[in-house]
Amino acid sequence: ALRPGGAPVLSPVLSPPAARGSRQGMSRLGWKGRFPLVAPRAVSETSDQEHQPSAGLNLKELTLENHPNLRIGKLSNGLRYVILPNPSPPNRFEAHLEVHAGSVDEEEDEQGIAHLVEHCTFLGSKRRESLLGTGARSNAYTDFHHTVFHVHAPHANANNGRPMLPAVLDALTEIGFEPEMLPARIEKERKAVTAEAQMMNTIEYRVDCQLLQYLHWENALGCRFPIGKMDQVQRWTRDEVYNFWEKHYYPENATLYVVGDVDVQETERLIEENFGRVPARTGGKRAAKNDGLDAELLVESSGGAEKEKERERETNGNGGGRNAEESGMDLRETNTGLLLERAHLSPAGLIRPPVDHQWGCEPMIQTGFQAPISVFRHRLLQLFQLSIFCKLPIQPMKTLDDLKRAFMVRVMLSVMQFRINARYVAADPPFIGIELDHSDSGREGCAVSTLTITSEPKDWRGAVQVAIQEIRRLQQHGVTAAELERYKSALLRDSEQLAEGADSVPSLDNLEFVMESMALGHAVIEQRQAHEYLLQLADTITPEEVSAICKSILSFASHYDDEASLLQEYQADPSKWATPGPSIATAVVACLPTFMDASGNSSGAAAPMQRGASLATTQHVDPSLAAAALDDTASDEEPPEGAIRFEIDEAEIREAISEKGLEIEALEDVDVPDSLVSDEDALALMNRLNPTFVEVDAGSPETRPLADPSTGVVRRRLSNGIMVNYRKTDNEPMGAMVRVVAAGGRALEERGVLGPDGHGVVAVGTRTLSESGTVGDWDRAQVELFCISRLINCVLEANEEFICMDFHFAVGDGGMAAVLQLLHLFLEAPRWEEAAMERSKQMYISHYRALPKSLERATADRIMQSMLGNDRRFRDPSTEEVAALTLDAMKENVMAQLHAGNLEISIVGDFDENELEHSILMYLGTVEPKPDMPGAGDAIAQCPTVCSPPLEERHSVWHLKDSDERACAYIAGIAPCRWGEFGKQQEPLVPIDAASIPSPPPPPAPGATEEEIERNRELRRRHPLYASATLGLLSEMINSRLFTTVRDTLGLTYDVSFEMSLFDRLPTGWFYVNVTSTPQKIKDAMMASMRVLRSGSIQPFTSRDLLRAKRTLITRHESDLKDNGYWLALLTHIQSPAVPLKSVECLRDMTLMYDAITVEDIYEAYNHFDFSDEATFTCIGTSGQEATLVDSPILQTRIQAKGAGTGAPGEVDPEAFLNAIKNFMDNMQNS
């Protein structure tokens, strides 16, 4: 219920996406995420100083040991199982059943049937339904090769205390091998799949389809998407659906994974007891696919046995020797998964069907292949985006030499990203983003190198030039010794930090790591050994070796259209190249807007897409629909008003990529500071300002207060006014997080003002400060490398109520002091730069221009326009508003909030408390106080006023011209405040004495007297958490009804949700429902959703409904307590005068408050919503060639109610709706 001091969780105002190649906030790590090549957060028992370098060792002979606690076995019926004990979160476990059948298993007339079978088996399972309300969560997905059913569950059933593992395994057995496949369920899921396809058929998804289609032009991955073809989905009979299940769902074609706080022997016994009852059988045509290529198989023991290690050494875990060229093997054969000894394989043993790839390495180079330029145009695309791909064999990680190579690839990517960032900070960079990636994909069975370039249409040639120039520079000159040492040190520190957290890795993370490692043929490294491996190999890495990696991997882009000379360079001195030698592009895809404005800029901006960003079936659509978008580029189509056609062709793109004569001299290195604030400067500030800690609560005797006994939270206050909260946790050993919150946010912008300090001045100003990326006298590169070397991530943003700055960092080697030094200079000496302002303005302008091209964003914005009128502080600033802003006005408005008297800083992590106290005093205490600066001001005066327009303006429809049909609808209205008493909307919140807050009592016992009931009611409703907890439970209950009624029973949608934007500082809020469907069904879906909102007076909320919601929220809260980010959210505002009702007692009482809520309380909250036509706002948005809706179904209903006809067009039959609600209530009673 308590959320961070960031943006309201469900605000319809969207921040512009961070540009690729830019820094989001002050600095981010120079590589994508954490080091992904070791078991998550492995523990090292040997320090760097104790470690002996491995010089002289043959890393190719040093085999990576599999995790000793990983139990891999096989039942007599062929089912493989994998068990890994994992202590976090305690008393919970993950169980995933992976059936090795996906969309590539489908025949030509079966496209989408694997996904439909997933729906029918999962949602048709009675035993899965029995898990509802027990504290368990379950879901499923289908991809190219797999269908996965997963359950996250507690040890004990929340209803009766019985063990959950037997029930979960029983449910998974039924889902996978004992489904009923009732015709009614098939019909219901047929509708759901169709709605799912419509929901996710966004332009971003269509771009993703194009990238995959051209990348995998030679195999089924490019044309056999999991969602399939809707015309086929509609016509399959029950027998056809059943036959696919029967062919592929058998024990030998499945693997069960159980990871969590479990006993291995007991888990094995239960697996045998449940899955052992399934008879063994073969899979029909499966045997025909056994050609030994790209087949994923699992080792049948825990690993570590000498026999298995010998097999792996002989086969390279891949069916081939260590060097494919030396063995004479076709390079395709180095991409299989982990193989058992082939002599022992039966045809049904193959799990993954083979997919042939054309590799972008020497055999293909010798054929003279050159990837063509493939172009995809669409009217809804806004930015130029060019993707250059190279597919290579996966190199399974079995030895230290394999791990070393992967480590060097991370160094290469880090160096490249830093160099691109340096180019981005130019006054007018010609690109929005340039990103290089090289990663293994278990789903696709290959490694892919990708160079993605994104720019405004007019800048496309300059953007390509910068990308190719930097690729060629790194490919030709490699990395410097200083760059290698810098990133090697950073990656090792990252590994060390992760190594300390072996016992805090969530089971789900470990499970995904195990699944992906096995799919790729990697060793599943024991968690306490992984960091040691990195220490062993780090000393052996040389700049020449990393440069060889750069030379081989990057040649796919550096030598495009010059492949002949590339082969000559390689043959002249192969020793300078890493395995597998030079690489060439295998696909080049340009995604282009059909139109741009007259100045050459986009008429909007869509976020750049990553290949595979939407591979889950809940994000897939008919590929034929995506292909149809190509027809939307007719040359005779009239451009929109103010736009012109964006005309470039394949030849121009080819010329830009292959341009000769680009300057590629080696770069000079950057001097990285050891500290941002010297000891001398810090001591001088201490002597001059004499900072001290002061009392937090009047009369408190402690100079250094003890931690709160129930929460472990310490509250401190500095003499300059800064409030500090901290809590020590072991959730992330050697890691910590800091949040800085300044009250104010966009609510302090002037309403209805167009000018230098008008709408958007705080939002764009905050982004400008972030884009500057530096502080004090340091330049941006120095600050960025300072952060990289200390693993400091930072994000700065503004929302409606606050300016918020988050740090995530490693605490070792002075990490806490480094972060607080950075924060000190950020507050005392920020850098306001014109170039940073121009970049920020362009991001916001592009984001605003994209609004009309996004069905969901535009529909939500129309709702906000109806609700708030001309008050644009809670909406995206317009082009005109952004253009009118000035740097001086941004500085004045933002810095008026970022001063010591208006700051609350919360710190959570694995830190030394004495070191933290010292650093707080030295770096935060020496921030100059500014007593004359204003605070957040009058929150009531800053509240938006919800308009009361006529009915025809409250309820609207609109249409977006598109090649494909989609539809969505929003219902919105005023919600009660999350703080204070219900019914006192926009009244001042009066601080209360925290010591006077009693813990919420449990609900009255049966037989309690009226006086006892009234006293109990008074106590719980006096608690500051009462409104927030009650609204959270009500939201959970409404969402259950929406899903069961609108989605499951009526089949009108795939996705519907009820959300509330509840503010902390502003005494207001609103709710909204978002539902997606087809244009033909969207009015029915919206009206059904409206009926559910109003159903609380028809079908009462019950104690069973409430109990189920309580279990869900309490379970979520208890699980989230293992996350530092969640604790940071809890601590935020506990001292802030801007949120006077939140105190440390709120953290103490969250679970008790949920338990105390009664059905009577739910109705008190529910009755403060008005879901009538006169109080709500609705908007339906459709897309397609022609509009199908003329008016809102609410208005049509009103017209007919006045005598124009009978019935209610666009509404679900009332009897059907009531039956749906009745079914929902019956299900609740039975669960």
Side-chain angles (χ1 to χ4, degrees):
L2 299 178
R3 62 178 173 77
V9 175
L10 297 158
S11 171
V13 178
L14 304 179
S15 298
R20 297 295 177 87
S22 71
R23 299 291 82 185
Q24 186 181 30
M26 297 288 290
S27 176
R28 298 298 300 269
L29 289 175
W31 56 90
K32 293 180 65 178
R34 297 284 184 182
F35 187 63
L37 303 169
V38 298
R41 305 183 184 183
V43 169
S44 166
E45 297 177 350
T46 307
S47 69
D48 291 8
Q49 291 77 15
E50 295 170 339
H51 175 71
Q52 298 298 318
S54 55
L57 294 178
N58 185 347
L59 300 184
K60 294 183 179 181
E61 294 298 322
L62 297 177
T63 303
L64 301 174
E65 295 290 337
N66 283 324
H67 197 305
N69 295 333
L70 188 72
R71 182 71 62 85
I72 303 178
K74 184 177 180 181
L75 300 183
S76 59
N77 60 12
L79 179 87
R80 293 173 176 82
Y81 60 85
V82 180
I83 306 171
L84 179 65
N86 192 69
S88 181
N91 301 316
R92 300 193 72 84
F93 64 90
E94 301 280 343
H96 288 212
L97 177 64
E98 181 179 61
V99 178
H100 299 274
S103 58
V104 295
D105 291 277
E106 298 164 349
E107 302 296 339
E108 184 65 27
D109 59 351
E110 293 181 326
Q111 296 185 52
I113 201 167
H115 181 212
L116 182 60
V117 167
E118 170 227 308
H119 272 247
C120 296
T121 55
F122 180 74
L123 290 169
S125 167
K126 295 279 196 301
R127 294 172 197 161
R128 181 199 63 82
E129 288 183 1
S130 71
L131 301 179
L132 299 175
T134 63
R137 303 192 302 269
S138 59
N139 215 323
Y141 66 87
T142 303
D143 66 20
F144 291 120
H145 295 288
H146 309 96
T147 301
V148 179
F149 308 95
H150 48 95
V151 181
H152 171 89
H155 271 182
N157 188 312
N159 295 320
N160 52 35
R162 294 174 183 168
M164 283 293 294
L165 185 57
V168 168
L169 296 180
D170 186 38
L172 288 174
T173 303
E174 180 186 57
I175 290 169
F177 307 115
E178 299 168 347
E180 289 184 296
M181 287 286 187
L182 297 176
R185 172 55 63 180
I186 293 174
E187 292 310 309
K188 185 177 293 186
E189 298 314 315
R190 204 191 303 270
K191 294 177 182 178
V193 167
T194 303
E196 181 181 351
Q198 290 279 347
M199 176 187 71
M200 297 311 300
N201 188 22
T202 63
I203 185 60
E204 290 82 9
Y205 172 72
R206 286 175 249 170
V207 169
D208 199 21
C209 283
Q210 295 299 315
L211 296 181
L212 289 167
Q213 175 182 324
Y214 291 119
L215 173 63
H216 298 297
W217 51 269
E218 77 278 31
N219 60 48
L221 297 176
C223 61
R224 196 75 92 237
F225 296 111
I227 199 70
K229 295 186 174 182
M230 293 305 101
D231 60 334
Q232 293 188 21
V233 171
Q234 296 306 318
R235 64 173 179 254
W236 293 317
T237 65
R238 190 264 183 190
D239 286 345
E240 289 173 309
V241 175
Y242 183 86
N243 288 343
F244 184 89
W245 169 82
E246 186 177 42
K247 181 165 65 173
H248 297 284
Y249 280 61
Y250 56 97
E252 200 168 3
N253 198 37
T255 304
L256 175 70
Y257 298 85
V258 179
V259 177
D261 192 5
V262 297
D263 176 83
V264 173
Q265 290 184 339
E266 174 64 9
T267 302
E268 282 190 300
R269 185 187 70 78
L270 291 172
I271 291 172
E272 174 66 46
E273 182 179 295
N274 287 277
F275 288 91
R277 69 176 184 249
V278 181
R281 57 192 173 99
T282 59
K285 295 185 179 180
R286 174 68 63 179
K289 297 177 179 177
N290 182 14
D291 65 357
L293 298 179
D294 297 86
E296 179 189 358
L297 293 155
L298 298 177
V299 180
E300 296 192 35
S301 69
S302 63
E306 193 58 34
K307 183 177 180 180
E308 288 297 337
K309 289 192 291 185
E310 184 61 28
R311 288 176 186 162
E312 293 164 10
R313 283 196 292 268
E314 290 174 357
T315 66
N316 186 24
N318 220 0
R322 173 61 44 196
N323 187 310
E325 294 179 1
E326 293 174 1
S327 69
M329 176 177 285
D330 187 328
L331 279 171
R332 294 181 306 167
E333 296 195 28
T334 66
N335 189 37
T336 60
L338 188 62
L339 296 181
L340 293 173
E341 189 172 359
R342 290 190 178 185
H344 294 175
L345 289 179
S346 65
L350 278 174
I351 295 174
R352 173 172 293 167
V355 174
D356 290 332
H357 293 281
Q358 294 295 319
W359 306 125
C361 44
E362 189 176 1
M364 180 179 276
I365 299 175
Q366 292 175 338
T367 67
F369 174 84
Q370 183 180 86
I373 309 288
S374 303
V375 174
F376 171 61
R377 294 180 184 270
H378 200 282
R379 60 182 295 113
L380 295 186
L381 289 176
Q382 307 303 324
L383 300 176
F384 168 90
Q385 179 178 307
L386 181 67
S387 299
I388 307 175
F389 297 109
C390 173
K391 290 202 293 187
L392 293 170
I394 293 170
Q395 296 195 8
M397 193 153 40
K398 296 300 190 60
T399 70
L400 248 62
D401 192 57
D402 300 326
L403 184 58
K404 175 179 176 179
R405 183 186 188 279
F407 190 96
M408 292 189 292
V409 169
R410 296 298 103 186
V411 172
M412 176 196 72
L413 296 175
S414 303
V415 170
M416 178 64 181
Q417 199 60 58
F418 176 77
R419 292 183 180 183
I420 291 298
N421 295 340
R423 298 292 295 268
Y424 179 76
V425 298
D428 187 18
F431 60 93
I432 292 174
I434 297 172
E435 183 170 338
L436 174 69
D437 182 48
H438 177 87
S439 55
D440 297 336
S441 172
R443 287 182 296 200
E444 296 163 90
C446 59
V448 183
S449 301
T450 310
L451 177 64
T452 304
I453 306 163
T454 310
S455 75
E456 293 288 346
K458 68 180 176 62
D459 296 327
W460 75 270
R461 192 178 292 273
V464 172
Q465 184 182 81
V466 170
I468 297 301
Q469 185 178 32
E470 293 306 323
I471 286 286
R472 289 180 185 174
R473 193 192 314 275
L474 189 55
Q475 196 270 344
Q476 181 171 322
H477 297 287
V479 303
T480 67
E483 285 175 323
L484 172 59
E485 289 307 310
R486 182 182 305 131
Y487 285 101
K488 183 169 67 174
S489 174
L491 287 166
L492 285 174
R493 288 192 64 182
D494 191 37
S495 171
E496 181 184 18
Q497 180 189 352
L498 298 176
E500 293 294 331
D503 293 332
S504 62
V505 185
S507 295
L508 180 60
D509 291 352
N510 264 330
L511 185 145
E512 291 175 347
F513 172 78
V514 171
M515 292 176 71
E516 185 70 3
S517 295
M518 289 183 164
L520 296 170
H522 297 340
V524 182
I525 307 173
E526 192 271 334
Q527 292 180 338
R528 287 175 171 78
Q529 186 64 39
H531 183 60
E532 291 301 318
Y533 286 146
L534 294 180
L535 292 176
Q536 285 183 9
L537 63 86
D539 295 333
T540 71
I541 298 174
T542 66
E544 292 75 20
E545 288 177 299
V546 180
S547 296
I549 291 284
C550 297
K551 189 176 287 291
S552 292
I553 290 180
L554 300 183
S555 61
F556 80 100
S558 66
H559 286 69
Y560 181 75
D561 204 26
D562 194 20
E563 288 79 8
S565 65
L566 172 65
L567 193 56
Q568 293 174 359
E569 289 179 29
Y570 170 66
Q571 292 172 342
D573 190 355
S575 65
K576 293 184 177 180
W577 301 71
T579 304
S583 60
I584 62 170
T586 54
V588 182
V589 186
C591 297
L592 308 177
T594 305
F595 306 110
M596 61 182 177
D597 68 19
S599 66
N601 288 312
S602 61
S603 55
M609 280 296 297
Q610 290 183 324
R611 171 189 59 85
S614 52
L615 282 180
T617 44
T618 54
Q619 297 177 334
H620 269 272
V621 74
D622 189 336
S624 65
L625 296 179
L630 292 168
D631 298 333
D632 194 43
T633 60
S635 59
D636 59 350
E637 182 179 0
E638 286 295 323
E641 183 178 354
I644 60 176
R645 191 170 296 276
F646 180 40
E647 300 282 8
I648 62 171
D649 58 27
E650 293 87 339
E652 292 177 274
I653 297 172
R654 182 185 304 278
E655 179 185 346
I657 300 174
S658 60
E659 181 180 351
K660 309 299 182 187
L662 296 179
E663 175 64 40
I664 54 170
E665 294 299 319
L667 297 176
E668 294 184 6
D669 217 333
V670 178
D671 180 30
V672 183
D674 294 325
S675 64
L676 298 178
V677 178
S678 67
D679 291 342
E680 295 80 4
D681 289 345
L683 288 173
L685 286 170
M686 291 281 287
N687 292 331
R688 180 168 67 85
L689 297 173
N690 191 29
T692 60
F693 289 106
V694 298
E695 293 178 346
V696 175
D697 300 315
S700 175
E702 302 96 341
T703 303
R704 180 173 174 179
L706 298 174
D708 176 72
S710 60
T711 63
V713 174
V714 176
R715 297 175 299 149
R716 300 289 262 152
R717 191 166 297 183
L718 291 160
S719 51
N720 60 4
I722 292 178
M723 299 161 281
V724 181
N725 315 305
Y726 66 81
R727 186 184 190 276
K728 184 176 175 63
T729 75
D730 59 0
N731 292 341
E732 184 185 349
M734 293 183 64
M737 300 182 73
V738 170
R739 171 167 294 162
V740 183
V741 174
R746 289 199 64 193
L748 293 185
E749 297 173 355
E750 293 291 332
R751 306 184 202 213
V753 173
L754 177 65
D757 55 359
H759 283 166
V761 67
V762 173
V764 184
T766 303
R767 185 57 184 250
T768 295
L769 198 52
S770 173
E771 279 295 309
S772 170
T774 190
V775 291
D777 296 328
W778 305 105
D779 65 37
R780 179 176 172 132
Q782 290 177 305
V783 172
E784 183 167 358
L785 289 175
F786 176 84
C787 291
I788 287 173
S789 64
R790 288 158 180 80
L791 304 183
I792 298 172
N793 289 290
C794 178
V795 176
L796 174 66
E797 59 188 4
N799 61 53
E800 295 89 338
E801 300 182 284
F802 304 96
I803 294 176
C804 184
M805 191 177 194
D806 280 356
F807 297 89
H808 186 197
F809 58 98
V811 299
D813 297 331
M816 182 67 73
V819 166
L820 297 189
Q821 288 174 18
L822 179 60
L823 181 53
H824 174 92
L825 289 180
F826 170 77
L827 296 169
E828 292 288 80
R831 291 270 285 276
W832 291 89
E833 300 174 340
E834 289 283 345
M837 180 188 70
E838 292 303 321
R839 293 196 301 272
S840 300
K841 281 188 170 185
Q842 186 55 50
M843 289 177 192
Y844 271 91
I845 289 172
S846 295
H847 188 65
Y848 181 77
R849 286 173 175 165
L851 188 90
K853 301 297 181 71
S854 168
L855 185 66
E856 289 77 13
R857 281 187 61 205
T859 305
D861 188 68
R862 286 166 184 261
I863 286 271
M864 298 299 292
Q865 168 68 37
S866 299
M867 288 179 62
L868 303 182
N870 294 326
D871 188 351
R872 296 186 54 83
R873 297 171 302 153
F874 295 76
R875 299 168 62 199
D876 297 323
S878 69
T879 299
E880 295 74 20
E881 289 166 343
V882 172
L885 302 175
T886 65
L887 188 65
D888 287 343
M890 293 179 191
K891 180 179 179 180
E892 179 182 354
N893 281 269
V894 172
M895 297 312 296
Q897 299 181 37
L898 293 173
H899 61 89
N902 193 42
L903 295 179
E904 183 189 44
I905 299 174
S906 301
I907 305 166
V908 177
D910 182 24
F911 45 74
D912 179 271
E913 293 185 54
N914 291 323
E915 178 189 351
L916 174 62
E917 292 262 340
H918 174 75
S919 295
I920 288 173
L921 199 61
M922 177 167 284
Y923 301 116
L924 300 183
T926 54
V927 174
E928 294 259 14
K930 297 177 181 178
D932 297 332
M933 296 294 285
D938 184 353
I940 294 178
Q942 297 160 21
C943 274
T945 300
V946 176
C947 301
S948 296
L951 209 62
E952 58 270 18
E953 294 180 18
R954 282 181 175 272
H955 306 288
S956 61
V957 299
W958 78 287
H959 182 74
L960 172 66
K961 186 175 181 181
D962 189 4
S963 57
D964 296 6
E965 289 190 347
R966 300 179 63 237
C968 70
Y970 283 85
I971 305 168
I974 298 174
C977 300
R978 66 177 310 175
W979 298 110
E981 297 181 38
F982 287 131
K984 294 189 176 182
Q985 191 88 351
Q986 298 196 5
E987 292 188 13
L989 296 176
V990 180
I992 58 178
D993 180 11
S996 69
I997 303 175
S999 293
T1009 67
E1010 286 297 324
E1011 290 79 10
E1012 291 171 334
I1013 293 173
E1014 179 58 33
R1015 177 59 180 163
N1016 185 290
R1017 180 189 300 116
E1018 179 186 353
L1019 286 175
R1020 70 176 179 271
R1021 293 188 179 182
R1022 279 176 46 199
H1023 198 285
L1025 271 183
Y1026 170 72
S1028 183
T1030 307
L1031 290 170
L1033 290 166
L1034 175 61
S1035 178
E1036 186 69 25
M1037 295 161 76
I1038 290 175
N1039 270 308
S1040 292
R1041 287 195 176 188
L1042 282 169
F1043 181 87
T1044 305
T1045 305
V1046 185
R1047 193 270 193 200
D1048 204 36
T1049 302
L1050 298 176
L1052 295 173
T1053 183
Y1054 181 78
D1055 186 48
V1056 58
S1057 63
F1058 173 83
E1059 314 287 1
M1060 284 186 272
S1061 288
L1062 302 178
F1063 297 99
D1064 281 307
R1065 190 172 69 81
L1066 304 177
T1068 190
W1070 46 75
F1071 74 88
Y1072 62 90
V1073 173
N1074 177 23
V1075 60
T1076 61
S1077 190
T1078 66
Q1080 294 75 29
K1081 292 183 178 180
I1082 189 61
K1083 58 184 180 180
D1084 293 347
M1086 188 190 80
M1087 295 304 290
S1089 300
M1090 184 72 87
R1091 284 175 175 267
V1092 169
L1093 294 181
R1094 299 168 179 170
S1095 67
S1097 57
I1098 303 171
Q1099 289 286 342
F1101 296 112
T1102 67
S1103 57
R1104 185 178 290 272
D1105 298 346
L1106 178 58
L1107 180 60
R1108 185 170 168 183
K1110 286 180 179 182
R1111 287 172 181 159
T1112 299
L1113 295 191
I1114 291 173
T1115 298
R1116 187 180 303 157
H1117 167 66
E1118 292 174 346
S1119 177
D1120 287 345
L1121 288 175
K1122 297 298 293 181
D1123 178 71
N1124 279 349
Y1126 184 68
W1127 269 108
L1128 204 62
L1130 295 177
L1131 264 61
T1132 301
H1133 306 320
I1134 63 172
Q1135 287 195 66
S1136 174
V1139 189
L1141 295 186
K1142 185 174 179 181
S1143 66
V1144 72
E1145 285 73 23
C1146 292
L1147 281 60
R1148 175 197 69 193
D1149 294 338
M1150 285 189 68
T1151 299
L1152 293 174
M1153 192 71 246
Y1154 283 133
D1155 275 332
I1157 300 299
T1158 66
V1159 172
E1160 179 189 26
D1161 300 328
I1162 294 297
Y1163 269 101
E1164 188 195 19
Y1166 179 76
N1167 290 333
H1168 280 90
F1169 289 87
D1170 188 345
F1171 297 124
S1172 68
D1173 293 346
E1174 291 76 16
T1176 55
F1177 300 80
T1178 67
C1179 184
I1180 294 177
T1182 60
S1183 69
Q1185 294 290 354
E1186 300 293 338
T1188 56
L1189 291 180
V1190 177
D1191 215 342
S1192 167
I1194 290 178
L1195 299 180
Q1196 292 176 356
T1197 302
R1198 289 302 185 98
I1199 292 172
Q1200 292 196 344
K1202 291 179 180 180
T1206 58
E1211 292 194 49
V1212 175
D1213 175 56
E1215 183 177 351
F1217 178 81
L1218 289 175
N1219 286 335
I1221 289 290
K1222 183 178 183 298
N1223 290 337
F1224 167 75
M1225 301 304 295
D1226 290 343
N1227 290 336
M1228 291 295 294
Q1229 295 296 326
N1230 294 329
S1231 64

